[in-house]
Amino acid sequence: MQLLDGRALSGQLQQKLARVTETLKQQDKPLPHLVAILVGNDAASHTYVRSKIKACERVGIRSTLIRLEENVSEFSLTDTISRLNADPSVHGILLQLPLPPHLPADVLTHHIAPEKDVDGFHFINAGKMLKGLPCPLPATPYGILLLLEHYRIETSGKHCVIVGRSDIVGRPLSVLLSRNHYPGNCTVTLCHSKSENLSDHCRSADLLIAAIGKPNFIQASMVKPGATVIDVGINRIADSSHPGSFRLVGDVDFNAVAPICSHITPVPGGVGPMTIAALLLNTFYVAGYPQ
Ligand code: NDP
């Protein structure tokens, strides 16, 4: 079994981007500028946004964090996004999800100008992705493609089973991995909570991708020996060795599955850091510096 080390690859990509930043500085070109909007006090969202801002600092590009109160109105948030859309010094805008229940995430996400949509969530970019046109790709699926490419995992003709059909992970991945492209050319099965015979589907996968949000959901009995397993899940569970604290586990029972598969991503250290690297690549892309 080979570990797909997202942390190491993300580090390499960030070093490369830091060199690009140096070149931009020498050429007196504007540095990419990412603005992250964080609404409310969700602990996990704070952690994710902090790591995105830190990553911008590591590669030397500009970043701004706008923090808004939990009870901010839709009007006020829309206005904030409009101002950023109109500001030529801002290249990328990120609206950290989930939003508090009174705010319509879909409407607000689509209010971000598509050309500043570093998350690739805008329907214009989703449409471009579907048609194979250049656009920022959703960061987590993009990060997974980079990981598959780096480790030269064969995908052509393989059966890829994705568990989870969210707009940000499973569904875009199903589009990307079925493209006539590398990584891609998979025969894709997209599963969800209504799928019958889920274990049978999973067991038939050469490439199994879990994006469910349920700790240790994928058991060894659901994995074909020799399969490549990508674990997108980030679940906080109580840490029995440190009462009152938590630890992160994926959607895959790593200890049981690792011995039977050919490749697997750890949690943490797999898909998460690749999502950050992909976000940075998207920020360079929307700033006009495709890598
Ligand atoms: P969502 O909650 O939006 O989607 C979960 C999906 O899993 C849904 O399609 C749901 O089906 C499906 N599902 C839930 N229960 C079952 C079940 N028993 N059997 C089969 N399918 C099931 O989650 P996200 O896609 O946003 O995130 C998934 C996980 O990935 C989370 O742990 C999240 O924290 C993590 N994540 C990690 C990222 C990273 O960078 N590593 C980035 C984004 C997310 P249905 O549609 O029918 O409800």
Side-chain angles (χ1 to χ4, degrees), residues 48 140 163-170 191-195 198 210-214 217 231-235 249-251 270-276:
Y48 295 146
T140 301
V163 190
R165 58 176 162 185
S166 73
D167 285 349
I168 63 169
V169 187
C191 297
H192 45 78
S193 66
K194 311 291 187 298
S195 296
L198 182 68
I212 310 161
K214 298 211 161 133
F217 183 90
D231 189 353
V232 182
I234 301 178
N235 306 291
V249 297
D251 290 343
V271 175
M274 290 308 300
T275 298
I276 301 274

PDB file of all heavy atoms in Angstrom, residues 48 140 163-170 191-195 198 210-214 217 231-235 249-251 270-276, ligand 1:
ATOM      1  N   TYR A  48     -10.634  26.492   8.954  1.00  0.00           N
ATOM      2  CA  TYR A  48     -10.386  26.386   7.509  1.00  0.00           C
ATOM      3  C   TYR A  48      -9.931  27.725   6.932  1.00  0.00           C
ATOM      4  O   TYR A  48      -8.978  27.787   6.161  1.00  0.00           O
ATOM      5  CB  TYR A  48     -11.656  25.923   6.777  1.00  0.00           C
ATOM      6  CG  TYR A  48     -12.097  24.526   7.142  1.00  0.00           C
ATOM      7  CD1 TYR A  48     -13.438  24.190   7.190  1.00  0.00           C
ATOM      8  CD2 TYR A  48     -11.169  23.531   7.427  1.00  0.00           C
ATOM      9  CE1 TYR A  48     -13.849  22.908   7.529  1.00  0.00           C
ATOM     10  CE2 TYR A  48     -11.561  22.258   7.771  1.00  0.00           C
ATOM     11  CZ  TYR A  48     -12.907  21.945   7.822  1.00  0.00           C
ATOM     12  OH  TYR A  48     -13.307  20.691   8.165  1.00  0.00           O
ATOM     13  N   THR A 140     -11.611  21.154  -3.933  1.00  0.00           N
ATOM     14  CA  THR A 140     -11.370  19.782  -3.448  1.00  0.00           C
ATOM     15  C   THR A 140     -11.263  18.791  -4.617  1.00  0.00           C
ATOM     16  O   THR A 140     -10.278  18.016  -4.675  1.00  0.00           O
ATOM     17  CB  THR A 140     -12.455  19.378  -2.436  1.00  0.00           C
ATOM     18  OG1 THR A 140     -12.413  20.314  -1.353  1.00  0.00           O
ATOM     19  CG2 THR A 140     -12.227  17.985  -1.891  1.00  0.00           C
ATOM     20  N   VAL A 163     -18.858   8.225  -3.350  1.00  0.00           N
ATOM     21  CA  VAL A 163     -19.981   8.204  -2.400  1.00  0.00           C
ATOM     22  C   VAL A 163     -20.144   9.623  -1.868  1.00  0.00           C
ATOM     23  O   VAL A 163     -19.259  10.145  -1.182  1.00  0.00           O
ATOM     24  CB  VAL A 163     -19.752   7.201  -1.254  1.00  0.00           C
ATOM     25  CG1 VAL A 163     -21.061   7.035  -0.453  1.00  0.00           C
ATOM     26  CG2 VAL A 163     -19.303   5.850  -1.790  1.00  0.00           C
ATOM     27  N   GLY A 164     -21.277  10.243  -2.194  1.00  0.00           N
ATOM     28  CA  GLY A 164     -21.534  11.644  -1.834  1.00  0.00           C
ATOM     29  C   GLY A 164     -21.693  12.458  -3.106  1.00  0.00           C
ATOM     30  O   GLY A 164     -20.821  12.405  -3.980  1.00  0.00           O
ATOM     31  N   ARG A 165     -22.808  13.195  -3.211  1.00  0.00           N
ATOM     32  CA  ARG A 165     -23.115  13.922  -4.461  1.00  0.00           C
ATOM     33  C   ARG A 165     -23.233  15.425  -4.231  1.00  0.00           C
ATOM     34  O   ARG A 165     -23.998  16.107  -4.927  1.00  0.00           O
ATOM     35  CB  ARG A 165     -24.421  13.392  -5.053  1.00  0.00           C
ATOM     36  CG  ARG A 165     -25.591  13.525  -4.091  1.00  0.00           C
ATOM     37  CD  ARG A 165     -26.901  13.091  -4.705  1.00  0.00           C
ATOM     38  NE  ARG A 165     -27.894  12.819  -3.672  1.00  0.00           N
ATOM     39  CZ  ARG A 165     -29.102  12.340  -3.897  1.00  0.00           C
ATOM     40  NH1 ARG A 165     -29.477  12.072  -5.116  1.00  0.00           N
ATOM     41  NH2 ARG A 165     -29.941  12.116  -2.900  1.00  0.00           N
ATOM     42  N   SER A 166     -22.479  15.960  -3.266  1.00  0.00           N
ATOM     43  CA  SER A 166     -22.606  17.396  -3.003  1.00  0.00           C
ATOM     44  C   SER A 166     -22.099  18.208  -4.191  1.00  0.00           C
ATOM     45  O   SER A 166     -21.283  17.737  -4.991  1.00  0.00           O
ATOM     46  CB  SER A 166     -21.821  17.778  -1.743  1.00  0.00           C
ATOM     47  OG  SER A 166     -20.441  17.757  -2.009  1.00  0.00           O
ATOM     48  N   ASP A 167     -22.579  19.457  -4.255  1.00  0.00           N
ATOM     49  CA  ASP A 167     -22.173  20.351  -5.350  1.00  0.00           C
ATOM     50  C   ASP A 167     -20.705  20.728  -5.266  1.00  0.00           C
ATOM     51  O   ASP A 167     -20.133  21.211  -6.245  1.00  0.00           O
ATOM     52  CB  ASP A 167     -23.004  21.651  -5.304  1.00  0.00           C
ATOM     53  CG  ASP A 167     -24.413  21.426  -5.804  1.00  0.00           C
ATOM     54  OD1 ASP A 167     -24.671  20.346  -6.375  1.00  0.00           O
ATOM     55  OD2 ASP A 167     -25.249  22.320  -5.614  1.00  0.00           O
ATOM     56  N   ILE A 168     -20.108  20.586  -4.067  1.00  0.00           N
ATOM     57  CA  ILE A 168     -18.719  21.043  -3.941  1.00  0.00           C
ATOM     58  C   ILE A 168     -17.703  19.899  -4.073  1.00  0.00           C
ATOM     59  O   ILE A 168     -16.537  20.150  -4.339  1.00  0.00           O
ATOM     60  CB  ILE A 168     -18.481  21.822  -2.620  1.00  0.00           C
ATOM     61  CG1 ILE A 168     -18.705  20.959  -1.396  1.00  0.00           C
ATOM     62  CG2 ILE A 168     -19.356  23.057  -2.557  1.00  0.00           C
ATOM     63  CD1 ILE A 168     -18.228  21.633  -0.113  1.00  0.00           C
ATOM     64  N   VAL A 169     -18.141  18.658  -3.878  1.00  0.00           N
ATOM     65  CA  VAL A 169     -17.180  17.553  -3.975  1.00  0.00           C
ATOM     66  C   VAL A 169     -17.652  16.478  -4.970  1.00  0.00           C
ATOM     67  O   VAL A 169     -17.135  16.364  -6.081  1.00  0.00           O
ATOM     68  CB  VAL A 169     -16.892  16.899  -2.599  1.00  0.00           C
ATOM     69  CG1 VAL A 169     -15.755  15.875  -2.742  1.00  0.00           C
ATOM     70  CG2 VAL A 169     -16.526  17.910  -1.529  1.00  0.00           C
ATOM     71  N   GLY A 170     -18.629  15.683  -4.562  1.00  0.00           N
ATOM     72  CA  GLY A 170     -18.954  14.471  -5.322  1.00  0.00           C
ATOM     73  C   GLY A 170     -19.412  14.733  -6.744  1.00  0.00           C
ATOM     74  O   GLY A 170     -18.902  14.127  -7.696  1.00  0.00           O
ATOM     75  N   CYS A 191     -22.791   7.697  -5.960  1.00  0.00           N
ATOM     76  CA  CYS A 191     -23.715   7.144  -4.953  1.00  0.00           C
ATOM     77  C   CYS A 191     -24.107   8.214  -3.937  1.00  0.00           C
ATOM     78  O   CYS A 191     -23.413   9.219  -3.767  1.00  0.00           O
ATOM     79  CB  CYS A 191     -23.058   5.985  -4.213  1.00  0.00           C
ATOM     80  SG  CYS A 191     -22.646   4.596  -5.273  1.00  0.00           S
ATOM     81  N   HIS A 192     -25.190   7.964  -3.248  1.00  0.00           N
ATOM     82  CA  HIS A 192     -25.717   8.908  -2.246  1.00  0.00           C
ATOM     83  C   HIS A 192     -26.534   8.129  -1.234  1.00  0.00           C
ATOM     84  O   HIS A 192     -26.543   6.889  -1.260  1.00  0.00           O
ATOM     85  CB  HIS A 192     -26.529   9.996  -2.960  1.00  0.00           C
ATOM     86  CG  HIS A 192     -27.452   9.435  -3.992  1.00  0.00           C
ATOM     87  ND1 HIS A 192     -28.635   8.836  -3.664  1.00  0.00           N
ATOM     88  CD2 HIS A 192     -27.302   9.320  -5.335  1.00  0.00           C
ATOM     89  CE1 HIS A 192     -29.211   8.408  -4.758  1.00  0.00           C
ATOM     90  NE2 HIS A 192     -28.419   8.682  -5.794  1.00  0.00           N
ATOM     91  N   SER A 193     -27.247   8.855  -0.391  1.00  0.00           N
ATOM     92  CA  SER A 193     -27.909   8.174   0.725  1.00  0.00           C
ATOM     93  C   SER A 193     -29.077   7.291   0.283  1.00  0.00           C
ATOM     94  O   SER A 193     -29.525   6.441   1.042  1.00  0.00           O
ATOM     95  CB  SER A 193     -28.403   9.196   1.757  1.00  0.00           C
ATOM     96  OG  SER A 193     -29.428   9.986   1.202  1.00  0.00           O
ATOM     97  N   LYS A 194     -29.545   7.475  -0.947  1.00  0.00           N
ATOM     98  CA  LYS A 194     -30.654   6.639  -1.420  1.00  0.00           C
ATOM     99  C   LYS A 194     -30.156   5.471  -2.274  1.00  0.00           C
ATOM    100  O   LYS A 194     -30.963   4.690  -2.764  1.00  0.00           O
ATOM    101  CB  LYS A 194     -31.643   7.480  -2.255  1.00  0.00           C
ATOM    102  CG  LYS A 194     -32.095   8.786  -1.626  1.00  0.00           C
ATOM    103  CD  LYS A 194     -32.991   8.572  -0.422  1.00  0.00           C
ATOM    104  CE  LYS A 194     -33.576   9.876   0.085  1.00  0.00           C
ATOM    105  NZ  LYS A 194     -32.564  10.849   0.542  1.00  0.00           N
ATOM    106  N   SER A 195     -28.866   5.364  -2.478  1.00  0.00           N
ATOM    107  CA  SER A 195     -28.342   4.292  -3.330  1.00  0.00           C
ATOM    108  C   SER A 195     -28.612   2.933  -2.704  1.00  0.00           C
ATOM    109  O   SER A 195     -28.324   2.729  -1.511  1.00  0.00           O
ATOM    110  CB  SER A 195     -26.831   4.450  -3.532  1.00  0.00           C
ATOM    111  OG  SER A 195     -26.546   5.637  -4.224  1.00  0.00           O
ATOM    112  N   LEU A 198     -25.192  -0.246  -1.693  1.00  0.00           N
ATOM    113  CA  LEU A 198     -24.019   0.639  -1.676  1.00  0.00           C
ATOM    114  C   LEU A 198     -22.719  -0.156  -1.542  1.00  0.00           C
ATOM    115  O   LEU A 198     -21.735   0.114  -2.241  1.00  0.00           O
ATOM    116  CB  LEU A 198     -24.153   1.647  -0.527  1.00  0.00           C
ATOM    117  CG  LEU A 198     -23.024   2.660  -0.426  1.00  0.00           C
ATOM    118  CD1 LEU A 198     -23.045   3.626  -1.599  1.00  0.00           C
ATOM    119  CD2 LEU A 198     -23.093   3.444   0.880  1.00  0.00           C
ATOM    120  N   ALA A 210     -14.628   8.665  -1.062  1.00  0.00           N
ATOM    121  CA  ALA A 210     -15.650   8.827  -0.022  1.00  0.00           C
ATOM    122  C   ALA A 210     -15.755  10.291   0.360  1.00  0.00           C
ATOM    123  O   ALA A 210     -14.789  10.896   0.818  1.00  0.00           O
ATOM    124  CB  ALA A 210     -15.275   7.986   1.197  1.00  0.00           C
ATOM    125  N   ALA A 211     -16.940  10.885   0.147  1.00  0.00           N
ATOM    126  CA  ALA A 211     -17.196  12.295   0.526  1.00  0.00           C
ATOM    127  C   ALA A 211     -18.572  12.343   1.155  1.00  0.00           C
ATOM    128  O   ALA A 211     -19.531  12.841   0.576  1.00  0.00           O
ATOM    129  CB  ALA A 211     -17.112  13.191  -0.696  1.00  0.00           C
ATOM    130  N   ILE A 212     -18.647  11.795   2.350  1.00  0.00           N
ATOM    131  CA  ILE A 212     -19.938  11.526   2.990  1.00  0.00           C
ATOM    132  C   ILE A 212     -20.129  12.389   4.229  1.00  0.00           C
ATOM    133  O   ILE A 212     -21.202  12.943   4.473  1.00  0.00           O
ATOM    134  CB  ILE A 212     -20.010  10.027   3.410  1.00  0.00           C
ATOM    135  CG1 ILE A 212     -19.616   9.127   2.241  1.00  0.00           C
ATOM    136  CG2 ILE A 212     -21.396   9.665   3.937  1.00  0.00           C
ATOM    137  CD1 ILE A 212     -19.221   7.719   2.637  1.00  0.00           C
ATOM    138  N   GLY A 213     -19.078  12.477   5.056  1.00  0.00           N
ATOM    139  CA  GLY A 213     -19.196  13.203   6.320  1.00  0.00           C
ATOM    140  C   GLY A 213     -19.638  12.301   7.445  1.00  0.00           C
ATOM    141  O   GLY A 213     -20.284  12.752   8.396  1.00  0.00           O
ATOM    142  N   LYS A 214     -19.284  10.992   7.366  1.00  0.00           N
ATOM    143  CA  LYS A 214     -19.612  10.042   8.442  1.00  0.00           C
ATOM    144  C   LYS A 214     -18.346   9.282   8.822  1.00  0.00           C
ATOM    145  O   LYS A 214     -17.780   8.562   7.984  1.00  0.00           O
ATOM    146  CB  LYS A 214     -20.691   9.061   7.975  1.00  0.00           C
ATOM    147  CG  LYS A 214     -21.990   9.750   7.619  1.00  0.00           C
ATOM    148  CD  LYS A 214     -23.207   8.880   7.878  1.00  0.00           C
ATOM    149  CE  LYS A 214     -24.431   9.765   7.962  1.00  0.00           C
ATOM    150  NZ  LYS A 214     -25.563   9.309   7.213  1.00  0.00           N
ATOM    151  N   PHE A 217     -17.040   5.380   7.835  1.00  0.00           N
ATOM    152  CA  PHE A 217     -18.200   4.761   7.188  1.00  0.00           C
ATOM    153  C   PHE A 217     -17.770   3.614   6.256  1.00  0.00           C
ATOM    154  O   PHE A 217     -18.404   2.562   6.195  1.00  0.00           O
ATOM    155  CB  PHE A 217     -18.940   5.832   6.386  1.00  0.00           C
ATOM    156  CG  PHE A 217     -20.196   5.368   5.725  1.00  0.00           C
ATOM    157  CD1 PHE A 217     -21.417   5.434   6.380  1.00  0.00           C
ATOM    158  CD2 PHE A 217     -20.178   4.870   4.423  1.00  0.00           C
ATOM    159  CE1 PHE A 217     -22.592   5.019   5.764  1.00  0.00           C
ATOM    160  CE2 PHE A 217     -21.346   4.452   3.805  1.00  0.00           C
ATOM    161  CZ  PHE A 217     -22.549   4.520   4.477  1.00  0.00           C
ATOM    162  N   ASP A 231     -10.050   9.543   0.572  1.00  0.00           N
ATOM    163  CA  ASP A 231     -10.934   9.861   1.702  1.00  0.00           C
ATOM    164  C   ASP A 231     -11.051  11.375   1.843  1.00  0.00           C
ATOM    165  O   ASP A 231     -10.105  12.048   2.269  1.00  0.00           O
ATOM    166  CB  ASP A 231     -10.322   9.246   2.978  1.00  0.00           C
ATOM    167  CG  ASP A 231     -11.270   9.323   4.160  1.00  0.00           C
ATOM    168  OD1 ASP A 231     -12.338   9.963   4.030  1.00  0.00           O
ATOM    169  OD2 ASP A 231     -10.938   8.734   5.210  1.00  0.00           O
ATOM    170  N   VAL A 232     -12.200  11.905   1.463  1.00  0.00           N
ATOM    171  CA  VAL A 232     -12.414  13.356   1.525  1.00  0.00           C
ATOM    172  C   VAL A 232     -12.890  13.788   2.915  1.00  0.00           C
ATOM    173  O   VAL A 232     -12.678  14.916   3.340  1.00  0.00           O
ATOM    174  CB  VAL A 232     -13.432  13.798   0.444  1.00  0.00           C
ATOM    175  CG1 VAL A 232     -13.636  15.306   0.464  1.00  0.00           C
ATOM    176  CG2 VAL A 232     -12.986  13.354  -0.942  1.00  0.00           C
ATOM    177  N   GLY A 233     -13.508  12.882   3.631  1.00  0.00           N
ATOM    178  CA  GLY A 233     -14.176  13.213   4.895  1.00  0.00           C
ATOM    179  C   GLY A 233     -13.259  13.857   5.925  1.00  0.00           C
ATOM    180  O   GLY A 233     -12.081  13.501   6.062  1.00  0.00           O
ATOM    181  N   ILE A 234     -13.810  14.849   6.603  1.00  0.00           N
ATOM    182  CA  ILE A 234     -13.129  15.437   7.768  1.00  0.00           C
ATOM    183  C   ILE A 234     -14.161  15.427   8.880  1.00  0.00           C
ATOM    184  O   ILE A 234     -15.122  16.201   8.848  1.00  0.00           O
ATOM    185  CB  ILE A 234     -12.665  16.878   7.512  1.00  0.00           C
ATOM    186  CG1 ILE A 234     -11.701  16.938   6.321  1.00  0.00           C
ATOM    187  CG2 ILE A 234     -11.994  17.454   8.759  1.00  0.00           C
ATOM    188  CD1 ILE A 234     -11.235  18.351   5.982  1.00  0.00           C
ATOM    189  N   ASN A 235     -14.001  14.535   9.826  1.00  0.00           N
ATOM    190  CA  ASN A 235     -14.972  14.397  10.913  1.00  0.00           C
ATOM    191  C   ASN A 235     -14.258  14.577  12.243  1.00  0.00           C
ATOM    192  O   ASN A 235     -13.190  14.002  12.466  1.00  0.00           O
ATOM    193  CB  ASN A 235     -15.605  13.001  10.867  1.00  0.00           C
ATOM    194  CG  ASN A 235     -16.199  12.688   9.498  1.00  0.00           C
ATOM    195  OD1 ASN A 235     -17.188  13.281   9.103  1.00  0.00           O
ATOM    196  ND2 ASN A 235     -15.577  11.768   8.768  1.00  0.00           N
ATOM    197  N   VAL A 249     -10.977  12.353  11.914  1.00  0.00           N
ATOM    198  CA  VAL A 249     -10.929  11.080  11.182  1.00  0.00           C
ATOM    199  C   VAL A 249     -11.684  11.273   9.867  1.00  0.00           C
ATOM    200  O   VAL A 249     -12.505  12.184   9.724  1.00  0.00           O
ATOM    201  CB  VAL A 249     -11.556   9.903  11.966  1.00  0.00           C
ATOM    202  CG1 VAL A 249     -10.799   9.612  13.240  1.00  0.00           C
ATOM    203  CG2 VAL A 249     -13.035  10.136  12.250  1.00  0.00           C
ATOM    204  N   GLY A 250     -11.399  10.392   8.932  1.00  0.00           N
ATOM    205  CA  GLY A 250     -12.045  10.484   7.632  1.00  0.00           C
ATOM    206  C   GLY A 250     -13.336   9.679   7.573  1.00  0.00           C
ATOM    207  O   GLY A 250     -13.863   9.227   8.588  1.00  0.00           O
ATOM    208  N   ASP A 251     -13.818   9.494   6.343  1.00  0.00           N
ATOM    209  CA  ASP A 251     -15.006   8.673   6.109  1.00  0.00           C
ATOM    210  C   ASP A 251     -14.632   7.207   5.925  1.00  0.00           C
ATOM    211  O   ASP A 251     -15.503   6.349   5.787  1.00  0.00           O
ATOM    212  CB  ASP A 251     -15.728   9.154   4.841  1.00  0.00           C
ATOM    213  CG  ASP A 251     -16.396  10.502   5.030  1.00  0.00           C
ATOM    214  OD1 ASP A 251     -16.582  10.920   6.183  1.00  0.00           O
ATOM    215  OD2 ASP A 251     -16.737  11.137   4.009  1.00  0.00           O
ATOM    216  N   GLY A 270      -4.191  14.307   3.736  1.00  0.00           N
ATOM    217  CA  GLY A 270      -4.446  13.808   2.386  1.00  0.00           C
ATOM    218  C   GLY A 270      -5.112  14.868   1.532  1.00  0.00           C
ATOM    219  O   GLY A 270      -4.453  15.763   0.995  1.00  0.00           O
ATOM    220  N   VAL A 271      -6.438  14.775   1.440  1.00  0.00           N
ATOM    221  CA  VAL A 271      -7.189  15.683   0.564  1.00  0.00           C
ATOM    222  C   VAL A 271      -7.217  17.122   1.110  1.00  0.00           C
ATOM    223  O   VAL A 271      -7.183  18.079   0.332  1.00  0.00           O
ATOM    224  CB  VAL A 271      -8.626  15.136   0.350  1.00  0.00           C
ATOM    225  CG1 VAL A 271      -9.470  16.118  -0.446  1.00  0.00           C
ATOM    226  CG2 VAL A 271      -8.574  13.782  -0.357  1.00  0.00           C
ATOM    227  N   GLY A 272      -7.258  17.277   2.426  1.00  0.00           N
ATOM    228  CA  GLY A 272      -7.355  18.620   3.015  1.00  0.00           C
ATOM    229  C   GLY A 272      -6.271  19.568   2.521  1.00  0.00           C
ATOM    230  O   GLY A 272      -6.568  20.643   1.969  1.00  0.00           O
ATOM    231  N   PRO A 273      -4.977  19.208   2.672  1.00  0.00           N
ATOM    232  CA  PRO A 273      -3.919  20.113   2.188  1.00  0.00           C
ATOM    233  C   PRO A 273      -3.963  20.322   0.680  1.00  0.00           C
ATOM    234  O   PRO A 273      -3.581  21.388   0.180  1.00  0.00           O
ATOM    235  CB  PRO A 273      -2.623  19.392   2.589  1.00  0.00           C
ATOM    236  CG  PRO A 273      -3.010  18.377   3.590  1.00  0.00           C
ATOM    237  CD  PRO A 273      -4.449  18.046   3.393  1.00  0.00           C
ATOM    238  N   MET A 274      -4.456  19.311  -0.059  1.00  0.00           N
ATOM    239  CA  MET A 274      -4.560  19.479  -1.517  1.00  0.00           C
ATOM    240  C   MET A 274      -5.633  20.497  -1.883  1.00  0.00           C
ATOM    241  O   MET A 274      -5.529  21.194  -2.892  1.00  0.00           O
ATOM    242  CB  MET A 274      -4.861  18.128  -2.192  1.00  0.00           C
ATOM    243  CG  MET A 274      -3.693  17.157  -2.158  1.00  0.00           C
ATOM    244  SD  MET A 274      -2.160  17.876  -2.784  1.00  0.00           S
ATOM    245  CE  MET A 274      -2.619  18.306  -4.464  1.00  0.00           C
ATOM    246  N   THR A 275      -6.681  20.573  -1.044  1.00  0.00           N
ATOM    247  CA  THR A 275      -7.724  21.580  -1.277  1.00  0.00           C
ATOM    248  C   THR A 275      -7.125  22.979  -1.152  1.00  0.00           C
ATOM    249  O   THR A 275      -7.427  23.883  -1.932  1.00  0.00           O
ATOM    250  CB  THR A 275      -8.876  21.374  -0.262  1.00  0.00           C
ATOM    251  OG1 THR A 275      -9.434  20.074  -0.479  1.00  0.00           O
ATOM    252  CG2 THR A 275      -9.958  22.413  -0.419  1.00  0.00           C
ATOM    253  N   ILE A 276      -6.250  23.148  -0.181  1.00  0.00           N
ATOM    254  CA  ILE A 276      -5.591  24.453   0.011  1.00  0.00           C
ATOM    255  C   ILE A 276      -4.705  24.781  -1.191  1.00  0.00           C
ATOM    256  O   ILE A 276      -4.728  25.897  -1.719  1.00  0.00           O
ATOM    257  CB  ILE A 276      -4.727  24.429   1.307  1.00  0.00           C
ATOM    258  CG1 ILE A 276      -5.584  24.121   2.531  1.00  0.00           C
ATOM    259  CG2 ILE A 276      -3.915  25.711   1.460  1.00  0.00           C
ATOM    260  CD1 ILE A 276      -6.244  25.300   3.158  1.00  0.00           C
TER     261      ILE A 276
HETATM  262  P1  NDP B   1     -22.592  16.972   2.201  1.00  0.00           P
HETATM  263  O1  NDP B   1     -23.216  16.773   3.542  1.00  0.00           O
HETATM  264  O2  NDP B   1     -22.960  18.143   1.387  1.00  0.00           O
HETATM  265  O3  NDP B   1     -22.876  15.664   1.324  1.00  0.00           O
HETATM  266  C1  NDP B   1     -22.747  14.385   1.850  1.00  0.00           C
HETATM  267  C2  NDP B   1     -23.132  13.391   0.813  1.00  0.00           C
HETATM  268  O4  NDP B   1     -23.016  12.082   1.391  1.00  0.00           O
HETATM  269  C3  NDP B   1     -24.570  13.541   0.309  1.00  0.00           C
HETATM  270  O5  NDP B   1     -24.635  13.390  -1.086  1.00  0.00           O
HETATM  271  C4  NDP B   1     -25.308  12.401   1.011  1.00  0.00           C
HETATM  272  O6  NDP B   1     -26.375  11.858   0.269  1.00  0.00           O
HETATM  273  C5  NDP B   1     -24.200  11.353   1.124  1.00  0.00           C
HETATM  274  N1  NDP B   1     -24.482  10.427   2.200  1.00  0.00           N
HETATM  275  C6  NDP B   1     -24.777  10.729   3.490  1.00  0.00           C
HETATM  276  N2  NDP B   1     -25.016   9.591   4.170  1.00  0.00           N
HETATM  277  C7  NDP B   1     -24.888   8.577   3.304  1.00  0.00           C
HETATM  278  C8  NDP B   1     -25.007   7.176   3.393  1.00  0.00           C
HETATM  279  N3  NDP B   1     -25.352   6.572   4.557  1.00  0.00           N
HETATM  280  N4  NDP B   1     -24.797   6.424   2.309  1.00  0.00           N
HETATM  281  C9  NDP B   1     -24.461   7.025   1.131  1.00  0.00           C
HETATM  282  N5  NDP B   1     -24.322   8.337   0.975  1.00  0.00           N
HETATM  283  C10 NDP B   1     -24.528   9.106   2.043  1.00  0.00           C
HETATM  284  O7  NDP B   1     -21.042  16.884   2.447  1.00  0.00           O
HETATM  285  P2  NDP B   1     -19.770  17.508   1.664  1.00  0.00           P
HETATM  286  O8  NDP B   1     -19.662  16.940   0.300  1.00  0.00           O
HETATM  287  O9  NDP B   1     -19.751  18.966   1.830  1.00  0.00           O
HETATM  288  O10 NDP B   1     -18.600  16.917   2.576  1.00  0.00           O
HETATM  289  C11 NDP B   1     -18.414  15.545   2.760  1.00  0.00           C
HETATM  290  C12 NDP B   1     -17.273  15.315   3.722  1.00  0.00           C
HETATM  291  O11 NDP B   1     -16.092  15.854   3.144  1.00  0.00           O
HETATM  292  C13 NDP B   1     -17.418  16.038   5.069  1.00  0.00           C
HETATM  293  O12 NDP B   1     -16.787  15.246   6.062  1.00  0.00           O
HETATM  294  C14 NDP B   1     -16.647  17.319   4.871  1.00  0.00           C
HETATM  295  O13 NDP B   1     -16.147  17.846   6.092  1.00  0.00           O
HETATM  296  C15 NDP B   1     -15.519  16.834   4.002  1.00  0.00           C
HETATM  297  N6  NDP B   1     -14.916  17.855   3.179  1.00  0.00           N
HETATM  298  C16 NDP B   1     -13.563  17.857   3.124  1.00  0.00           C
HETATM  299  C17 NDP B   1     -12.907  18.739   2.342  1.00  0.00           C
HETATM  300  C18 NDP B   1     -11.430  18.661   2.280  1.00  0.00           C
HETATM  301  O14 NDP B   1     -10.799  19.618   1.864  1.00  0.00           O
HETATM  302  N7  NDP B   1     -10.829  17.542   2.654  1.00  0.00           N
HETATM  303  C19 NDP B   1     -13.608  19.763   1.571  1.00  0.00           C
HETATM  304  C20 NDP B   1     -15.061  19.624   1.608  1.00  0.00           C
HETATM  305  C21 NDP B   1     -15.678  18.703   2.403  1.00  0.00           C
HETATM  306  P3  NDP B   1     -27.716  12.715  -0.064  1.00  0.00           P
HETATM  307  O15 NDP B   1     -27.310  13.670  -1.145  1.00  0.00           O
HETATM  308  O16 NDP B   1     -28.685  11.693  -0.503  1.00  0.00           O
HETATM  309  O17 NDP B   1     -28.095  13.414   1.206  1.00  0.00           O
END
